[in-house]
């Protein structure tokens, strides 16, 4: 995950080697289009060798056939190369993961006795001990203890994370390092099936199954190939007829190498050669964003997702209520209120308490006061009083400053024979209805005002949701808040819909409802109770710091545990599909020019009459130099375009959030029209170069 | 001027009438109330009662397909027996002999598949009984089958997780009773009024001014011609089809017959809009078909009016009826090949190389430019699905068409439907080019001869039925090969189409969002045209360049064939 360079030397060398290894028919047949090219290359090579052995003058070694076979082999190698290079980065990553895994020893605990065994011998439900400095031998759940763990081996993030037994942070991953403390772990997966093992096999592409869309596309490509095989195979019959009609001998009929050249030019080799590279690089792009997909299907589905379920906390809001403003009661000075609020919160170490201090300081310029002078006596929060505060002595007078919920402060005031003002009560109610939390500040027997605590929506999130809406994705906020609070936050964040007072089963039901309406649902979750919803959703991203159950239920794991990642995942999915569409269009559009190169070349002798060139030479609009060069140029172009498009296949077509029609028009202009025109220029250029020799 | 006079009123009237008829057909297919119910509602119920099939059953793909194939099989057997035994059957005043087995085989398959390829001459080869009971019946039901399959496909597209794609018997009966029959009655009466013969008399003998005896054929022509035109069947009552003065006597009858060819196919684009409840969907298809149609027509007209030195700078009148003129003949040739009708009012063999090629291309791309009744629409939807699949990916979602995900199965079936006719045209033409049995039928040599062979298989595979007429196809070789071609061209498309209907019907509908790839705007129309031309063009470019293209350039050099 650290290597963000596009291509490095080592990967390049490996890929070249891989290109040759993949010449093995077993791996070639997985890619039918390229397999056809390989067959063609074999046949042309045999013809070349066979002809050169006939040592008579007419049939001497044919340079043309030799070049043809050479370029056909190059086409196959280029296609293989593209796949190898896409696999390369993953492989390099897998290597380092493997190295990490193989050396690990485990301290297995059997009946209270500790023994050292190799990590690879661990079984499910074994109990192991890990202490500071140990590498965690396998995936598991902490059953006892708390420890800080360095998970950089899988996340690339060096800051340690805390793992503890119980709750949602009890999962540990094999291959990560314990930095401090000691814990007892119950192993949850057999050797060979751990998270790292799965990651290795995923990045290596060993388990890479073709995705549904890839299968459909492959069927299209095979069918197109079949059409072209028929078109080319029947050509000698029509050609023979035309030869007879032109008064030429049948021996001038099209030769097998020329037919193969024509076929290879027509079948969609560009997309056929790059298809698997596109898929692998999709996974790779996710991995760069620290997301591991358990299948290619999940990435594809991500492109289709049109409903996103987002947890409010952590995704949309920071998750902590923060002091937003001070609202003084009647006849109370704002500064007095701010001062009292700060004093009452100084001992409050909760995020809420700290935010009150910060607000008072930043907005009202109140510095921390020297409490020793005041003989301060802190009153901590208790479940009985439900308020906190401080007792201070200013110029000999004892003052009780308190902050707490409306109810708690009311009884505090009434106990002190004070009066709770109606205006404050109404304001508090109003705030509560807006989704905020009001805290009342009181001094002795009178109310000073309200602290407005608010769940803060993350900056920029509204724009993000607006983008999503443009992409055709609806966002649904999930929250445990009451409907009023939820509605207020939903409006502020700009989500399309919300689910308030949501229990885990509500989440699951909501996903089912959306799916029944035909939507594809994406969600992100961490807790064990998220597991059913994650499993039900079409794209479920589990956070790496979540529980083992959640991680297994989702079809992607976000190693950064960043809830907004879902949006990036959707973009990667879309990019992947767009790249496939763009290259398919490009590949098909290319054929037009190739016809204009090859047909006039092979028909040069037909219906010539008294003139030198046949009547179909009119179609030679590129004015290619000779029939042989025309065929060769087309074949060479066909091979080179694969290698030239590898960067595009690996990086993907750029995705922008814009109306689909706009991006469609742009892609059509670039890959459709471009695909139509490029080969005309390319073939002409190659022909000009060939003329030099 | 001649062009405008011929083309404008025709297109204008079509555009005015089609939306109304389209809406009516929608009501019929959807089982809604319409104004024909009081008239034909009773007969419909009687038919249901008389036949023992279950009319209330909702059929899934397999049942629908089975019903359709069974019906066609029996239709074929009955027609075959009828043609082979017509000598002993009634209404045979001319004592026409039984058809030989291979012609009977070819003819029955031809009419069952809505192709109406004719390797016989109507006047000498068929009794009135065969014409009326045999062919006319198939003219009706084969056209109705096209409508039924179209309806089934659209039901599959619009259905939300359903198994059923309708009931074949109901679709068939309703299409005949409410759509084809009323229109045919109107057309038959109008045509008879124009002088198209309608009797069961023996042929008349007449002595011409030069003192030569001439036999003037008679027969129940008007009734058969009406459905032949309306159902895009195209099988002429007489050998020369609508170039025959008794089949097409007046300018008005010419107009009526021409109008009838496109009437239902054009209307069905509007029916489609209604069925999918989105006016844009059908409108795009209408626009795409119109653009392809008018472009073909423009190329044809241009090449026909192009003066050539070879015949003294005159336009091509060879093979055309003087009363129809060039524009009238070319318009018909374009309409009949676009709409899979195959009826002709001119000799296609004598068209200029380019307009001959336009006619061929119309058939080779799968008869999707309006196409056969129903068949044009379902074949076009195949291309729509392909376009959605190829271009739809470019918006960053797995492709969906009207909310239905297009996946491996649909693509497999679509490509099968595209492949089937292409295989027939290329492989069968190649066979014909290689063996003496194929070549002996040729009237002409050079690239024109190749065009004749290509045309024959293009016409049969596309279920068009028109012929270049330069090729003598009355031989066992051609009868068998074209018969197989027609079967593959018809059922090689219908079965995949129904399979797609069945599979799509079971899928959920994804609601439209901002991210949806739209199939109802000009952009999609342009894409669709591109895909049709590229897929069709790439398949046939090599062979077309050896045929009509070569001929065209040779003609420019002053060489004729």
């Amino acid at each position: 995950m650290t290597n963000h360079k596009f291509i490095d030397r080592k990967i390049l060398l490996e890929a070249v080697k891989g290109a040759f290894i993949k010449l093995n028919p077993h791996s070639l047949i997985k890619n039918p289009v390229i397999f056809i090219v390989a067959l063609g290359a074999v046949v042309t090579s045999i013809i070349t060798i066979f002809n050169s052995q006939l040592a008579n003058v007419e049939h001497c070694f044919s340079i043309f056939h030799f070049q043809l076979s050479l370029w056909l082999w190059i086409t196959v190698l280029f296609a293989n190369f593209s796949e190898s290079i896409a696999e390369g980065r993953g492989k390099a990553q897998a290597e380092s993961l493997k190295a990490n895994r193989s050396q690990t020893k485990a301290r297995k605990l059997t009946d209270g006795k500790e023994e050292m065994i190799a990590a690879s011998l661990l079984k499910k439900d074994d109990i192991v001990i890990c202490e500071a400095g140990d590498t965690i031998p396998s995936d598991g759940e902490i059953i006892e203890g708390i420890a800080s763990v360095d998970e950089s081996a899988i996340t690339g993030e060096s800051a340690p994370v805390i793992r503890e037994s119980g709750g949602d942070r009890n999962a540990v991953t094999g291959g990560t390092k314990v930095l401090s403390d000691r814990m007892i772990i119950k192993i949850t997966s057999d050797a060979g099936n751990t998270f790292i093992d799965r990651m290795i096999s995923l990045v290596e592409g060993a388990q890479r199954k073709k995705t549904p869309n890839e299968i459909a596309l492959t069927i299209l490509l095979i069918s197109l190939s079949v059409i072209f095989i028929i078109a080319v195979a029947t050509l000698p019959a029509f050609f023979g007829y035309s030869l007879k009609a032109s008064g030429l001998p049948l021996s001038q009929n099209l030769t097998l190498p020329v037919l193969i050249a024509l076929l290879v030019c027509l079948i969609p080799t560009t997309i056929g050669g790059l298809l698997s590279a596109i898929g692998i690089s999709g996974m790779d792009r996710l991995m760069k964003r620290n997301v591991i997909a358990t299948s290619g299907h999940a990435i594809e589905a991500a492109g289709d997702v049109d409903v996103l379920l987002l947890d409010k906390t952590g995704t949309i809001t920071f998750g902590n209520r923060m002091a937003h403003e001070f609202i003084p009661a009647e006849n109370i000075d704002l500064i007095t209120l701010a001062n009292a609020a700060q004093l009452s919160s100084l001992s409050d170490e909760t995020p809420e308490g700290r935010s009150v201090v910060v607000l008072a300081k930043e907005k009202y310029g109140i510095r921390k006061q020297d409490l020793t002078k005041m003989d301060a006596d802190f009153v901590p929060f208790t479940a009985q009083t439900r308020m906190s505060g401080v007792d201070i002595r200013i110029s000999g007078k004892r003052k009780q400053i308190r902050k707490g919920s409306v109810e708690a402060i009311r009884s505090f005031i009434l106990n002190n024979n004070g009066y709770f003002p109606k205006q404050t009560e109404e304001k508090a109610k109003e705030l509560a209805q807006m989704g905020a939390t009001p805290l009342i500040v009181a001094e002795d027997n009178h109310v000073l005002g309200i602290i407005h605590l608010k769940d803060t929506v993350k900056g920029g999130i509204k724009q993000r949701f607006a983008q999503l809406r443009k992409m055709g994705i609806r966002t649904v906020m999930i929250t445990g808040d009451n409907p009023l609070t939820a509605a207020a936050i939903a409006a502020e964040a700009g989500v399309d819909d919300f689910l308030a007072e949501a229990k885990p089963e509500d989440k699951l039901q909501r996903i089912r409802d959306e799916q029944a309406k035909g939507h594809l649902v994406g969600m992100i979750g961490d807790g064990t109770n998220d597991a059913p919803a994650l499993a039900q959703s079409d794209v479920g991203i589990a956070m790496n710091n979540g529980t083992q159950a959640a991680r297994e239920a989702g079809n992607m794991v976000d190693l950064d545990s960043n809830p907004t990642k879902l949006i990036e995942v959707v973009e990667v999915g879309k990019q992947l599909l767009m790249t496939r569409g763009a290259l398919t269009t490009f590949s098909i559009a290319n054929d037009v020019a190739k016809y204009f190169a090859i047909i006039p070349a092979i028909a040069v002798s037909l219906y010539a009459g008294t003139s030198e060139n046949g009547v179909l030479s009119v179609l030679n609009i590129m004015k290619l130099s000779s029939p042989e060069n025309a065929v060769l140029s087309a074949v060479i172009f066909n091979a080179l375009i694969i290698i030239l498009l590898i960067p595009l296949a690996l990086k993907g077509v750029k995705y922008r959030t814009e109306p689909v029609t706009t991006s469609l028009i742009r892609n059509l202009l670039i890959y459709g029209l471009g695909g139509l025109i490029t080969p005309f220029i390319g073939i002409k250029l190659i022909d000009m170069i060939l003329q030099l020799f | 001027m001649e062009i405008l006079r011929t083309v404008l009123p025709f297109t204008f009237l079509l555009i005015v009438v089609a939306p109304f008829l389209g809406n009516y057909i929608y009501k019929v297919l959807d089982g809604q109330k319409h104004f024909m119910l009081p008239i034909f509602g009773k007969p419909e119920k009687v038919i249901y009662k008389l036949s023992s099939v279950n009319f209330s059953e909702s059929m899934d793909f397999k049942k629908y397909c089975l019903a359709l194939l069974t019906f066609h099989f029996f239709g074929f057997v009955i027609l075959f027996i009828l043609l082979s035994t017509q000598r002993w059957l009634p209404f045979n005043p001319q004592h026409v002999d039984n058809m030989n087995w291979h012609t009977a085989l070819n003819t029955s398959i031809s009419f069952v598949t809505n192709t109406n390829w004719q390797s016989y001459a109507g006047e000498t080869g068929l009794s009135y009984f065969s014409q009326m009971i045999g062919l006319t019946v198939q003219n009706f039901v084969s056209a109705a089958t096209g409508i039924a399959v179209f309806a089934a496909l659209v039901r599959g597209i619009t259905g939300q997780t359903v198994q059923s794609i309708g009931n074949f018997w109901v679709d068939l009966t309703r299409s005949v009773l409410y759509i084809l029959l009323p229109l045919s009655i109107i057309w038959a009466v109008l045509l008879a009024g124009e002088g198209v013969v309608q009797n069961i008399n023996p042929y008349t003998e007449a002595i011409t001014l030069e003192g030569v005896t001439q036999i003037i054929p008679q027969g129940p022509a008007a009734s058969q011609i009406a459905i032949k035109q309306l159902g895009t069947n195209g099988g002429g009552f007489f050998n020369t089809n609508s170039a025959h003065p008794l089949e097409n006597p007046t300018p008005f009858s010419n107009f009526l017959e021409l109008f009838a060819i496109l009437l239902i196919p054009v209307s069905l684009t509007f029916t489609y809009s209604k069925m999918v409840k989105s006016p844009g969907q059908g409108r795009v298809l209408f626009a795409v078909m119109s653009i392809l149609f008018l472009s073909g027509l423009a190329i044809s007209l241009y090449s026909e009016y192009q003066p050539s030195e070879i015949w003294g700078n005159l336009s091509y009148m060879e093979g055309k009826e003087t009363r129809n003129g060039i524009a009238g003949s070319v318009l018909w040739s374009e309409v009949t090949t676009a709409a899979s009708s195959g009826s002709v009012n001119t000799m296609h063999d004598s068209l200029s190389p380019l307009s001959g090629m336009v006619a061929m291309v119309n058939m080779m791309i799968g008869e999707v430019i309006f196409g056969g009744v129903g068949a044009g629409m379902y074949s076009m939807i195949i291309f729509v699905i392909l376009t959605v699949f190829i271009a739809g990916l470019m918006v960053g979602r797995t492709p969906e068409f009207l909310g239905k995900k297009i996946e491996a199965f649909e693509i497999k079936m679509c490509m099968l439907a595209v492949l089937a006719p292409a295989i027939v045209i290329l492989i069968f033409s190649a066979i014909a080019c290689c063996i003496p049995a194929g070549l002996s039928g040729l009237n002409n040599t050079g690239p024109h001869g190749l065009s004749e062979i290509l045309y024959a298989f293009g016409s049969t595979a596309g279920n068009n039925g028109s012929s270049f007429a330069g090729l003598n196809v009355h031989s066992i070789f051609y009868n068998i090969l074209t018969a197989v071609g027609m079967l593959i061209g018809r059922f090689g498309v219908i079965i995949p189409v129904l399979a797609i209907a069945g599979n799509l019907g079971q899928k959920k509908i994804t609601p439209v969002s901002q991210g949806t790839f739209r199939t109802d705007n000009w952009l999609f129309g342009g894409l669709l045209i591109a895909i049709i031309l590229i897929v069709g063009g790439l398949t046939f470019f090599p062979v077309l360049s050896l045929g009509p293209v070569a001929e065209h350039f040779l003609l420019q050099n002053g060489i004729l064939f």
Side-chain angles (χ1 to χ4, degrees), chain A residues 216 223 227 230 237-238 241 303-304 471-472 515 517-519 574 577-578 585 595 599 606-607 615-616 660 664 667, chain B residues 393-394 396-398 405 415 419 423 446-447 449-450 508-511 513-515 517 523 538-539 542 545-546 553:
Chain A
S223 314
I227 291 185
I230 293 169
F238 302 125
Y241 172 91
D304 283 351
M471 289 156 71
Q515 285 172 335
K517 283 185 234 154
H519 293 288
K574 287 197 176 292
L577 293 168
M578 280 166 91
T585 310
Y595 262 139
I599 296 292
L606 293 179
Y607 304 114
V615 70
L616 286 177
V660 285
L664 183 61
N667 286 337
Chain B
L393 276 173
M394 272 190 285
R397 277 172 70 158
T398 59
K405 287 253 172 269
M415 290 313 286
L419 259 173
I423 285 176
L450 183 59
K508 282 190 283 197
I509 296 176
T510 311
S513 76
Q514 289 280 317
F517 176 68
L523 185 62
L538 290 179
T539 316
S545 65
L546 294 176
F553 290 124

Side-chain angles (χ1 to χ4, degrees), chain A residues 344-354 356-357 378 381 388 403 439:
Chain A
S344 68
S345 303
L346 281 177
S347 66
D348 187 349
E349 277 303 310
T350 63
E352 293 169 16
R354 258 177 281 159
V356 173
V357 177
F378 289 111
F381 180 88
S388 64
K403 79 166 201 293
L439 283 184

Side-chain angles (χ1 to χ4, degrees), chain A residues 173-215:
Chain A
T173 311
T176 57
K177 260 202 173 92
V178 183
L179 291 181
S180 70
D181 304 293
R182 173 179 193 272
M183 55 192 174
I184 297 174
I185 299 165
K186 188 169 132 194
I187 302 299
T188 48
S189 42
D190 286 326
N193 197 25
T194 63
F195 185 65
I196 284 206
D197 287 320
R198 271 185 288 152
M199 244 173 91
I200 291 170
S201 69
L202 278 169
V203 292
E204 276 186 332
Q207 276 184 14
R208 221 182 78 81
K209 270 197 281 178
K210 276 195 173 135
T211 64
N213 180 257
E214 258 180 320
I215 293 172

Side-chain angles (χ1 to χ4, degrees), chain B residues 111-374:
Chain B
F111 278 76
V112 165
T113 57
N114 195 255
T115 313
N116 304 27
W117 170 263
Q118 295 165 295
S119 70
Y120 63 90
E123 299 92 321
T124 52
L126 288 179
S127 72
Y128 293 159
F129 191 77
S130 303
Q131 294 268 30
M132 287 191 296
I133 303 300
L135 303 189
T136 308
V137 168
Q138 284 303 328
N139 276 352
F140 273 102
V141 293
S142 67
T145 301
I147 299 179
V149 173
F150 159 67
L153 174 60
V154 182
R155 281 188 206 116
I157 293 170
T158 54
Q160 169 90 286
T161 54
V162 290
Q163 293 280 334
S164 161
I165 53 172
N167 181 309
F168 175 69
W169 307 114
V170 173
D171 287 341
L172 183 75
T173 316
R174 288 191 178 152
S175 300
V176 170
L177 273 185
Y178 299 122
I179 303 168
L180 298 171
L181 200 58
L183 284 170
S184 296
I185 292 172
I186 300 172
W187 250 260
V189 170
L190 287 174
L191 286 175
E194 285 302 298
V196 177
V197 291
Q198 176 75 7
N199 58 45
I200 45 169
N201 300 337
Y203 295 172
T204 312
E205 257 184 51
I207 313 275
T208 64
L209 285 176
E210 291 115 37
V212 187
T213 313
Q214 189 189 12
I215 296 171
I216 300 167
Q218 304 286 334
S223 56
Q224 193 181 333
I225 289 158
I227 183 63
K228 152 201 145 191
Q229 300 298 97
L230 285 162
T232 57
N233 294 288
F237 192 84
F238 304 117
N239 191 28
T240 51
N241 214 311
S242 284
H244 196 289
L246 293 184
E247 189 154 339
N248 182 11
T250 66
F252 183 59
S253 72
N254 190 60
F255 179 83
L256 272 179
E257 291 181 15
L258 195 58
F259 186 71
I261 297 178
L262 280 184
L263 181 60
I264 298 178
V266 173
S267 303
L268 283 178
T269 60
F270 295 93
T271 310
Y272 176 62
S273 286
K274 285 268 168 192
M275 289 181 86
V276 300
K277 301 201 170 40
S278 160
Q281 304 292 343
R283 223 178 283 153
V284 164
L285 298 195
F286 174 75
V288 165
M289 290 171 170
S290 302
I291 289 168
L292 288 171
F293 175 79
L294 292 174
S295 321
L297 185 63
I299 295 170
S300 289
L301 285 170
Y302 168 78
S303 84
E304 291 284 339
Y305 277 100
Q306 188 83 333
S308 173
E309 283 175 20
I310 304 175
W311 35 81
N313 286 329
L314 293 170
S315 336
Y316 290 88
M317 269 312 286
E318 185 202 279
K320 296 185 180 69
E321 273 273 66
T322 35
R323 62 199 174 99
N324 293 333
I326 289 182
S329 306
V330 171
L331 176 62
W332 190 300
S333 78
E334 172 69 9
V335 167
T336 195
T337 50
S340 174
S341 167
S343 72
V344 291
N345 77 348
T346 184
M347 179 89 160
H348 285 193
D349 198 25
S350 301
L351 291 172
S352 74
L354 281 190
S355 50
M357 180 166 86
V358 169
M360 264 187 255
V361 170
N362 283 341
M363 300 185 295
M364 284 169 168
I365 56 179
E367 290 290 5
V368 292
I369 311 174
F370 297 114
V373 168

Side-chain angles (χ1 to χ4, degrees), chain A residues 19-20 22-25 28 34-49 65-81 260 264 635-636 638-640 642:
Chain A
F20 283 94
K22 282 174 192 284
L23 284 178
N24 175 356
L28 271 182
I34 297 304
F35 186 71
I36 296 173
V37 182
L39 280 183
V42 170
V43 173
T44 341
S45 306
I46 292 172
I47 290 173
T48 311
I49 295 164
H65 284 177
F66 172 72
Q67 283 175 311
L68 208 55
S69 1
L70 188 71
W71 281 104
L72 292 182
W73 282 118
I74 290 177
T75 311
V76 178
L77 287 174
F78 280 178
N80 288 350
F81 177 74
I260 289 171
V264 168
V635 173
I636 294 174
N638 199 44
L640 291 182
I642 294 179

Side-chain angles (χ1 to χ4, degrees), chain A residues 486-498:
Chain A
I489 292 171
E492 194 183 337
V495 292
D496 298 294
D497 200 356
F498 63 86

